[in-house]
Amino acid sequence: MVHLASVPSDKAAKAPLVKGIENLGLQPNDGEDEMTASVYGSRFAAECLPMHDMPEREMPKEIASRMIRDELSLDGNPMLNLASFVTTYMEDEVEKLMAEALPKNFIDYEEYPQTADIQNRCVSMIARMFNAPTHNENESSMGTSTVGSSEAIMLGTLAMKKRWQNKRKAAGKDYSKPNIVMNSAVQVCWEKAARYFEVEERYVYCTEDRYVIDPEEAVNLVDENTIGICAIIGTTYTGEYEDVKAINDLLVEKKIDCPIHVDAASGGFVVPFVVPELPWDFRLEKVISINVSGHKYGLVYPGVGWVVWRSPEYLPKELVFNINYLGADQASFTLNFSKGASQVIGQYYQMIRLGKHGYRSIMMNLTRTADYLAANLEHLGFIIISERGGKGLPLVAFRLNPKDNHHYDEFAIAHHLRERGWVVPAYTMAPHSEGLKLMRVVVREDFSRARCDSLIADFKLSLKALKEMDANAVTQHAKHVKKHNTASGKSKHNHTHYKNEKHSLQGKTGKTHAVC
Amino acid sequence: MSLARHVDPDEIIKTLHNHPSKAHRHHMSTKTATSTFTPYSSRYASQQEIAKFKIPQQGAPADAVHQMLKDELDLDGRPNLNLASFVGTYMEREAEKLMIENLSKNMSDADEYPAMMAMHARCVSIIAQLWGAKKGETAVGSATTGSSEAIHLGGLAMKRRWQEKRDREGKDKSKPNIIMGSNAQVALEKFARYFEVEARILDVSEKSLYRLDPELVKQNIDENTIGVFVIMGSTYTGHYEPVAEISNILDEFEAQTGNDIPIHVDAASGGFIAPFTHAHAGGPKWNFELPRVKSINTSGHKFGLVYAGVGWIIWRDEAFLPKHLIFELHYLGGTEESYTLNFSRPGAQIIAQYYMLIHLGFEGFRAIMENCMANARLLSKSLEATGWYTCVSDIHRPKGQHVLKDPKELQSPPNRGDETSADYNAGLPVVAFRLSDEFKKTYSHVKQESISTLLRAKQYIIPNYPLPPKCEKTEILRVVVRESMSLDLLDRLITDIIAITEQLMNTDTMDLAVFQPGAATVEKQHQSKGHDHMNKHKAERPMSKGVHRTVC
């Protein structure tokens, strides 16, 4: 997400980085000849970059782009970021295609009909991958591209809410108190969707040894005001697949009319290739919509997600706005309007370039690497919480064995690895099991076996170093790293007004939101 | 004439095509399509179609797929000749390079990309200053994917604040409503629909210059009004809506009833124009200088001069953004607050926005915007000089004059060489024009629509669509003059419009009937199947006729 940034006051904006040098009298560089001066010989290299106010005069383009590039070199190395699911590698050919498509506005169907066609093809491929009922003439599945799974989830929630409202209105019943049932380990955008669209959240809480939704409990929470149940294929913490079939079967057995939305943000491009026999998608009759992130295991750079509905029945028509182009009505259901077209083209490229076989090879390799890493970490004394052998996402979630009484915790290890450049996050688990700390390594496409070996080597070194420190030193060290080596620790644009909110699951229970 | 029958192109191709399995037998050498072949010697050049609806079983080599997709995308229009859109289609090579290098960066990963986050904060700060953020207030803001997301966020904050207020007063909060003009972009109406706020869409008229009518605002506000959307730059005609005037009305209303109704300014197009042009917003204030304006949004990808995918929203003070909507996210090294509808999304556009801001500076932006305005004036005047066209937009008329009074004054435009946009009406560099009444009388068989169709054959995209409801009898052709519309291109465009109009004047009705829109491809049939198949879907909405063809 893009974070809220506060605008500093004039005083804060003018304050020097180090106190006491307000009146340092440096000779100004009054070089006039901006066009011929070299980047670092120009006056811009001796001035600070404009931060709070727009400069009055232009800056030569070479200098502006060089200065920005220099600033950006302070960003982390995406390859070593094991916290995120989001793709950081694509082939040169597709990078070129995407670069060429940068000036294209995706929403402009009239101008870029071919790009719109490509989106429709992607929807069709993805719907079929999820076993949408394409054999049935009457149930024509439909879907759309989004900016990411957040938008997809908002759209899914909105459709479920509207459908429920229409049903209640038709029955002449009260429709002011909708609720939605989900696991407390959900990604923060579910909380957002419920909050922003005014739907009460009902959580199935995790326990000490169960981090997925309990089908029985979930179905018991359903009442006449429930707009739907959210099931996650690939929870962000442990990568497990929730038992959608059990929820579906219970609903059928008890004859409850309640739809299921499957949040397959991470798993949607993994399950069909690694465990095709697992029933979680439109093969189950209660599943009415599924979302997936193209920019996770769909192997595209950030900026694309997908949502598919089983049939138009589940997408109330008052939510759909028609856009007319070239004589054909194009139905549109999005929260965003103008956006770049590159990512959709990138998705189509990946799907036809790799084919099922290519995706399968990649996903199987990732599963192998994850198993290899899990086996090694287990040997180093960690408890592995995630599934193995393709029964879950290719990630490894693990924690220290409490029996060993370590004087350091998972967060200390995370900070230690950070010194080597690795971002391996530590989390506090979802509510009702929040005493539990864990670490997570996401195995992405570019995390090869060789890189995995270097990570394991660094793990061994970090553990050794931590063992040699005493408890006090560990705390000191963690503080030090937090202060000097991590990014947001020094971010100044944080907003004190909104600090320590108490309304979200995080505010109430201390659950950390995992990055995805 | 032969009997017409439906021809399915896909079917023909299928029958006449060598079946791929057979083809493989005859062309063993190309079966594997290894990367030593050129894309066109691989089997994808002639023997096998690119997969359209199903993910193929086997993949294909990178260079072949790249070339095939590139060729297919050639069928898309040319971004620079798309005169229908406000969205930027030109960036300097340096900026493009910067964006490509950062394509893989994820804006939601503050932990990993702190330098990018710092640039985001600087952009917010710079834009807030540009819009007159006040001392003593802590402005707060965020980047979004575009103005749609920004409008949803701005509207939601107003709704929540209204709800909190009603809760405090112990009053009913089940019937919120919001005010906007019928010239509003579809996102504003979407907000009302999705977030369950009654949309009070007020008619616009020629008298109100196709903008929100302050008189009607006065009649439609009540205690349940969560806010008023005021548009800085109507997408139809480019007029700025009278923010200050509406603010005064709301002040009066507050004095009478005690209901404090906020204004959200949708400056999607005007947010980067009004601060720079000499004409400003045409006199009265429009931004945070008015205490009633609580939030403003703009599209960085319109006149912020960045490629599609970035918008901005700023609140004048954190007090106007309810805490209840903000989520705090903990990271390895710190916490961030978040209020957005999207999560993971590209960061390249934000870097590009910062590049544009510091590279161009105030003067650079001013020079570009003044150029756009001057070119738009030239186009408007040229069109009116033919006598065939009348402009509905009025940025080319001397300040204070909104309609063409005397055709003679066109003959001697006072081109002193030092004129700026300040000598004229303020507005977006948009030219909305229609056939003049006289022309329609003489050549009643010429349809305005045909001009758009014929220009399309020359690759220009200039849409023809009706004005908002109640004025929908007037159809307009609209040209958005972006920075990439240079004088030379403008020269060509004027020549082409005149040539086409002359051509139409000389053709008879029969020939005109020949101009048809293009055939639908198989994908297009497929895409609208969802609703069309069951029952031709027409959402009930007041704007269902007018707004749908405007792209921004």
Side-chain angles (χ1 to χ4, degrees):
Chain A
M1 92 282 353
V2 175
H3 305 279
L4 276 174
S6 71
V7 179
S9 65
D10 289 351
K11 195 177 155 215
K14 282 204 195 93
L17 279 178
V18 179
K19 258 190 199 160
I21 58 155
E22 287 85 351
N23 301 317
L24 190 64
L26 284 179
Q27 187 82 36
N29 176 346
D30 44 12
E32 281 293 307
D33 197 3
E34 284 158 19
M35 284 311 171
T36 53
S38 68
V39 171
Y40 296 109
S42 72
R43 66 182 171 87
F44 299 102
E47 285 170 3
C48 71
L49 273 182
M51 292 187 188
H52 305 295
D53 213 344
M54 215 162 157
E56 200 50 45
R57 298 288 303 274
E58 298 92 328
M59 182 188 295
K61 52 192 177 184
E62 306 78 21
I63 299 182
S65 77
R66 184 71 216 175
M67 290 293 160
I68 291 182
R69 199 166 287 126
D70 286 355
E71 287 262 305
L72 286 172
S73 61
L74 290 172
D75 273 345
N77 178 355
M79 298 288 185
L80 300 183
N81 179 0
L82 306 179
S84 172
F85 286 95
V86 177
T87 307
T88 51
Y89 163 77
M90 286 182 90
E91 288 170 328
D92 286 347
E93 284 82 359
V94 63
E95 272 199 351
K96 235 177 102 193
L97 262 184
M98 289 175 72
E100 285 158 5
L102 273 177
K104 290 189 179 176
N105 179 8
F106 178 74
I107 205 73
D108 203 342
Y109 302 116
E110 177 137 5
E111 175 68 7
Y112 310 117
Q114 211 56 34
T115 308
D117 273 359
I118 283 178
Q119 175 208 249
N120 296 331
R121 293 179 195 177
C122 288
V123 168
S124 173
M125 285 186 187
I126 289 166
R128 280 188 165 79
M129 193 168 79
F130 294 161
N131 293 300
T134 44
H135 51 276
N136 188 340
E137 278 291 308
N138 297 323
E139 285 199 282
S140 52
S141 305
M142 50 202 310
T144 183
S145 69
T146 60
V147 169
S149 276
S150 290
E151 188 189 357
I153 285 166
M154 303 245 171
L155 296 177
T157 312
L158 200 50
M160 289 196 288
K161 183 184 172 195
K162 204 79 198 171
R163 183 171 165 267
W164 169 83
Q165 280 181 333
N166 288 348
K167 203 174 73 184
R168 298 282 292 179
K169 268 186 216 171
K173 290 181 185 154
D174 175 56
Y175 56 91
S176 63
K177 292 195 176 54
N179 66 60
I180 185 165
V181 176
M182 52 192 168
N183 179 359
S184 62
V186 286
Q187 218 268 332
V188 65
C189 64
W190 278 100
E191 281 184 61
K192 275 190 179 176
R195 178 75 43 81
Y196 296 163
F197 295 114
E198 296 171 5
V199 179
E200 178 204 338
E201 304 121 276
R202 288 203 178 160
Y203 293 111
V204 176
Y205 286 97
C206 297
T207 62
E208 288 295 327
D209 48 3
R210 173 178 57 76
Y211 318 117
V212 289
I213 202 164
D214 178 35
E216 193 101 25
E217 210 179 309
V219 173
N220 287 340
L221 280 175
V222 173
D223 63 20
E224 56 171 9
N225 286 324
T226 303
I227 63 169
I229 299 177
C230 147
I232 311 168
I233 287 298
T235 59
T236 36
Y237 291 101
T238 59
E240 289 166 275
Y241 303 141
E242 298 194 321
D243 196 347
V244 192
K245 188 168 187 303
I247 304 176
N248 178 74
D249 292 351
L250 272 174
L251 288 172
V252 174
E253 192 191 303
K254 296 189 174 174
K255 296 204 178 70
I256 301 174
D257 177 21
C258 175
I260 303 174
H261 175 98
V262 181
D263 174 9
S266 323
F269 275 100
V270 180
V271 186
F273 302 112
V274 177
V275 274
E277 65 283 356
L278 182 78
W280 63 278
D281 49 19
F282 291 118
R283 280 170 287 183
L284 303 174
E285 58 178 299
K286 289 290 179 189
V287 174
I288 58 146
S289 48
I290 300 177
N291 72 276
V292 62
S293 287
H295 55 224
K296 288 176 189 161
Y297 289 108
L299 309 178
V300 185
Y301 286 150
V304 62
W306 303 91
V307 56
V308 182
W309 285 271
R310 172 186 286 273
S311 110
E313 182 198 339
Y314 301 105
L315 182 51
K317 58 181 176 186
E318 53 267 49
L319 293 176
V320 178
F321 285 73
N322 271 347
I323 295 172
N324 178 299
Y325 88 101
L326 281 184
D329 266 348
Q330 166 87 47
S332 126
F333 181 35
T334 58
L335 294 174
N336 299 296
F337 203 71
S338 296
K339 64 174 181 180
S342 303
Q343 284 81 3
V344 170
I345 293 169
Q347 181 78 72
Y348 187 56
Y349 174 92
Q350 289 291 33
M351 288 202 284
I352 64 174
R353 151 86 175 113
L354 295 173
K356 283 184 186 154
H357 182 262
Y359 268 103
R360 193 175 299 123
S361 318
I362 292 172
M363 298 309 156
M364 292 309 270
N365 268 348
L366 296 184
T367 310
R368 268 178 220 120
T369 313
D371 286 352
Y372 173 74
L373 178 62
N376 275 286
L377 288 173
E378 197 167 40
H379 225 76
L380 288 176
F382 290 101
I383 300 176
I384 308 294
I385 319 174
S386 50
E387 297 279 343
R388 287 186 236 190
K391 289 200 210 80
L393 291 177
L395 61 78
V396 185
F398 51 97
R399 61 190 177 102
L400 290 165
N401 193 337
K403 283 188 196 130
D404 296 349
N405 280 327
H406 295 285
H407 60 272
Y408 50 88
D409 67 355
E410 287 81 354
F411 285 86
I413 302 176
H415 287 129
H416 226 276
L417 285 168
R418 183 97 194 186
E419 289 206 323
R420 292 278 297 153
W422 300 101
V423 180
V424 179
Y427 297 111
T428 314
M429 207 29 185
H432 293 211
S433 53
E434 67 259 47
L436 197 71
K437 292 175 190 164
L438 77 160
M439 300 183 80
R440 188 189 75 181
V441 173
V442 175
V443 178
R444 280 196 317 271
E445 188 190 5
D446 52 347
F447 189 72
S448 58
R449 169 78 174 262
R451 195 175 293 162
C452 182
D453 280 337
S454 357
L455 175 69
I456 295 167
D458 280 336
F459 249 107
K460 276 162 73 178
L461 286 175
S462 306
L463 288 178
K464 191 162 159 271
L466 282 167
K467 266 185 202 131
E468 283 161 6
M469 285 187 204
D470 59 29
N472 203 5
V474 171
T475 349
Q476 286 294 325
H477 181 255
K479 246 191 213 157
H480 172 83
V481 174
K482 188 168 177 181
K483 207 164 170 197
H484 299 280
N485 286 35
T486 60
S488 3
K490 58 180 171 190
S491 62
K492 287 166 291 187
H493 49 269
N494 261 332
H495 219 271
T496 44
H497 182 70
Y498 299 107
K499 273 265 176 322
N500 305 321
E501 40 100 347
K502 285 278 168 270
H503 57 78
S504 67
L505 269 184
Q506 173 171 280
K508 283 182 214 147
T509 65
K511 161 198 182 186
T512 25
H513 292 300
V515 184
C516 56
Chain B
M1 220 192 243
S2 65
L3 277 175
R5 88 193 148 85
H6 177 66
V7 178
D8 184 348
D10 270 24
E11 195 60 36
I12 295 180
I13 294 170
K14 219 181 188 172
T15 11
L16 296 180
H17 199 273
N18 294 329
H19 194 269
S21 62
K22 267 187 269 162
H24 287 180
R25 234 176 291 139
H26 299 303
H27 305 266
M28 286 304 283
S29 60
T30 55
K31 185 184 174 189
T32 45
T34 49
S35 52
T36 50
F37 294 89
T38 72
Y40 295 115
S41 67
S42 77
R43 65 194 150 102
Y44 299 94
S46 84
Q47 279 123 36
Q48 199 172 332
E49 276 182 76
I50 284 187
K52 281 185 190 149
F53 301 122
K54 250 188 209 170
I55 181 166
Q57 203 55 241
Q58 295 284 337
D63 53 347
V65 177
H66 172 255
Q67 195 56 42
M68 298 300 140
L69 287 188
K70 196 166 141 57
D71 291 351
E72 206 175 318
L73 288 169
D74 282 345
L75 292 173
D76 274 344
R78 285 167 186 278
N80 199 29
L81 293 182
N82 178 7
L83 308 181
S85 173
F86 287 92
V87 176
T89 53
Y90 165 78
M91 287 189 83
E92 285 168 320
R93 234 190 17 241
E94 283 76 6
E96 258 187 8
K97 231 176 102 197
L98 206 53
M99 284 183 77
I100 294 165
E101 287 164 4
N102 291 294
L103 262 183
S104 69
K105 286 195 178 171
N106 179 2
M107 202 55 216
S108 81
D109 206 338
D111 225 7
E112 184 64 17
Y113 307 119
M116 189 163 70
M117 292 313 300
M119 287 186 188
H120 166 256
R122 290 180 201 170
C123 284
V124 168
S125 184
I126 289 175
I127 294 170
Q129 300 289 348
L130 199 61
W131 291 340
K134 281 273 166 262
K135 283 198 178 114
E137 284 180 317
T138 325
V140 44
S142 169
T144 60
T145 294
S147 277
S148 291
E149 188 189 358
I151 285 164
H152 288 313
L153 296 176
L156 186 56
M158 292 199 291
K159 182 184 177 193
R160 181 76 207 170
R161 269 204 2 262
W162 173 82
Q163 283 175 332
E164 283 174 358
K165 191 182 84 184
R166 301 288 285 181
D167 268 344
R168 277 196 307 275
E169 293 167 355
K171 288 184 185 156
D172 175 52
K173 50 167 183 170
S174 64
K175 290 190 181 56
N177 67 60
I178 189 149
I179 309 276
M180 63 184 101
S182 65
N183 55 338
Q185 211 266 338
V186 69
L188 279 68
E189 203 192 343
K190 262 190 189 175
F191 159 75
R193 182 76 51 87
Y194 295 165
F195 293 92
E196 295 176 359
V197 177
E198 181 204 339
R200 295 205 172 153
I201 298 172
L202 311 181
D203 289 332
V204 298
S205 60
E206 200 179 339
K207 192 187 104 237
S208 72
L209 297 175
Y210 310 102
R211 323 173 289 178
L212 189 58
D213 191 338
E215 272 309 306
L216 289 174
V217 172
K218 205 182 278 182
Q219 291 160 23
N220 280 283
I221 43 179
D222 58 33
E223 55 171 7
N224 287 325
T225 305
I226 64 168
V228 180
F229 280 136
V230 185
I231 306 165
M232 275 301 281
S234 161
T235 51
Y236 285 90
T237 55
H239 286 105
Y240 291 146
E241 295 194 329
V243 191
E245 212 176 313
I246 290 165
S247 170
N248 287 341
I249 289 175
L250 297 177
D251 284 344
E252 270 169 41
F253 185 73
E254 188 180 357
Q256 283 162 17
T257 63
N259 286 310
D260 178 14
I261 300 175
I263 290 178
H264 173 93
V265 178
D266 171 17
S269 320
F272 276 108
I273 298 180
F276 299 114
T277 51
H278 291 288
H280 300 291
K285 304 166 191 162
W286 69 278
N287 53 20
F288 291 129
E289 285 162 28
L290 288 173
R292 197 163 287 278
V293 174
K294 306 299 190 219
S295 45
I296 303 178
N297 72 275
T298 193
S299 291
H301 55 226
K302 288 177 187 157
F303 290 93
L305 308 179
V306 182
Y307 287 150
V310 62
W312 300 94
I313 179 156
I314 314 261
W315 286 267
R316 70 176 308 128
D317 189 82
E318 53 198 16
F320 300 106
L321 183 52
K323 274 190 176 187
H324 186 75
L325 297 172
I326 311 299
F327 286 82
E328 200 173 62
L329 305 172
H330 289 289
Y331 285 98
L332 200 49
T335 40
E336 299 278 2
E337 292 85 22
S338 147
Y339 177 43
T340 53
L341 298 175
N342 299 301
F343 203 76
S344 293
R345 40 165 307 221
Q349 281 87 352
I350 287 155
I351 295 169
Q353 182 78 73
Y354 185 56
Y355 171 87
M356 290 318 289
L357 290 173
I358 66 169
H359 163 47
L360 290 177
F362 192 87
E363 287 187 7
F365 265 97
R366 169 169 280 182
I368 289 173
M369 299 311 155
E370 280 294 325
N371 279 346
C372 291
M373 299 302 290
N375 281 343
R377 286 198 298 270
L378 178 63
L379 176 61
S380 313
K381 286 179 181 171
S382 312
L383 288 170
E384 289 200 332
T386 61
W388 303 332
Y389 292 102
T390 312
C391 289
V392 183
S393 53
D394 61 11
I395 46 154
H396 60 296
R397 301 195 206 287
K399 199 167 175 164
Q401 186 188 332
H402 297 294
V403 283
L404 184 62
K405 281 181 191 131
D406 183 9
K408 265 186 221 138
E409 62 194 48
L410 278 167
Q411 303 303 322
S412 54
N415 207 335
R416 306 190 305 271
D418 61 343
E419 58 169 25
T420 64
S421 60
D423 302 327
Y424 296 89
N425 289 320
L428 303 178
V430 163
V431 183
F433 58 103
R434 60 180 177 83
L435 291 170
S436 67
D437 299 335
E438 227 158 287
F439 183 95
K440 279 193 215 155
K441 247 181 264 161
T442 329
Y443 304 96
S444 55
H445 67 284
V446 175
K447 288 213 176 70
Q448 201 168 297
E449 176 87 49
S450 319
I451 295 164
S452 172
T453 318
L454 281 179
L455 280 169
R456 182 176 268 277
K458 296 209 179 219
Q459 304 242 36
Y460 298 105
I461 300 219
I462 298 180
N464 177 65
Y465 52 85
L467 284 174
K470 293 285 154 71
C471 310
E472 75 264 28
K473 283 204 187 112
T474 314
E475 290 194 346
I476 52 165
L477 293 154
R478 190 191 71 181
V479 173
V480 179
V481 180
R482 294 193 305 269
E483 60 163 341
S484 52
M485 180 94 171
S486 57
L487 190 57
D488 180 52
L489 186 62
L490 196 71
D491 192 343
R492 294 286 328 154
L493 175 69
I494 296 172
T495 318
D496 284 333
I497 292 180
I498 291 178
I500 279 169
T501 321
E502 273 180 338
Q503 188 190 338
L504 280 171
M505 283 151 68
N506 299 328
T507 36
D508 58 28
T509 331
M510 275 300 248
D511 288 347
L512 284 180
V514 177
F515 305 126
Q516 295 283 341
T521 65
V522 65
E523 290 93 356
K524 258 179 230 161
Q525 289 158 15
H526 168 77
Q527 81 214 353
S528 38
K529 212 170 155 192
H531 280 302
D532 280 0
H533 216 223
M534 314 289 282
N535 50 336
K536 181 81 178 150
H537 157 72
K538 278 272 174 277
E540 277 175 43
R541 50 194 218 87
M543 293 185 203
S544 62
K545 289 221 169 57
V547 84
H548 54 278
R549 293 197 54 160
T550 32
V551 178
C552 352

